[in-house]
Amino acid sequence: MKSVANKSKDLPRRRGRPSSLNREKVIATAIRLMEEKPDHDVTMSEVASELGIVTMGIYKHVRNKEDLLAGMAERVFSELDLSVDEDRTLDQRFLQWAGKYRDFFVRRPYANHLIAWHDELSENFMNWCGDLVEMLHEYRVKKKDLERTLAWLIRQLHAYVMLEQGTTMNHLGDHGRLVEGFDITRLSRDKQRLLKPLLPRLAKHTNDDFYRFHIEATLKMLKQVAGAAGKNEGRSR
């Protein structure tokens, strides 16, 4: 399918509205373009060009750019399953939820653009916030601390995901290769003495290793905020 699509780009585009064009095809095309360039904000004219129509033809299927993005978010996030096993402990459910969130966004860096746009937040994102608030209640976070704890937790989870995504704007995800290729002699002797013993071991750690450390540290901080460190482990619904 991919080679056929590439060949079609070399052919002269037919202007006008293809008879089979509909809202779903417009949304699917926009998602594919965003997948190809996850750091790029896809424009209406680019989608139209890919479909072989004039830009105004898109507005027969989507009201505006916001409507297109909302449709894209609905389609992309329908693939994200954040359900957790109800028979697990609270800590286990939190780690399961966070792990699914991380896996989804690491594999789809373009989905960052669909969490929020202009003055809109996606409905899906607010539902995820609801999941977290439910768990924060179980951790007995005080009402007066709920909003800032939620904001902190969202940032903790997604900031790490963005670091790991490894888009063309971010190469830090491939830390092992970067560490192994660094010439430590460029540093001062004091810095070499401090870092030299660590670099070989650091290069061996995988992204999964660092994620486990990060999310376990986040969970520990969350329980400290709740004033319930150690009290909820082993507690089931």
Side-chain angles (χ1 to χ4, degrees), residues 13-18 21 25-27 29-30 32-33 42-59 61-62 68:
R13 297 204 179 274
R14 292 173 54 195
R15 291 297 171 183
R17 178 187 171 195
L21 186 60
K25 287 191 176 181
V26 170
I27 290 171
T29 299
R32 179 166 54 79
L33 291 174
V42 175
T43 67
M44 300 291 270
S45 61
E46 288 171 333
V47 177
S49 177
E50 189 68 17
L51 290 167
I53 62 175
V54 296
T55 303
M56 290 304 296
I58 287 186
Y59 294 96
H61 306 284
V62 294
L68 175 62

Side-chain angles (χ1 to χ4, degrees), residues 118-131:
H118 302 168
D119 295 324
E120 297 288 333
L121 271 173
S122 75
E123 179 180 335
N124 306 83
F125 177 76
M126 297 307 291
N127 275 321
W128 308 333
C129 289
D131 289 344

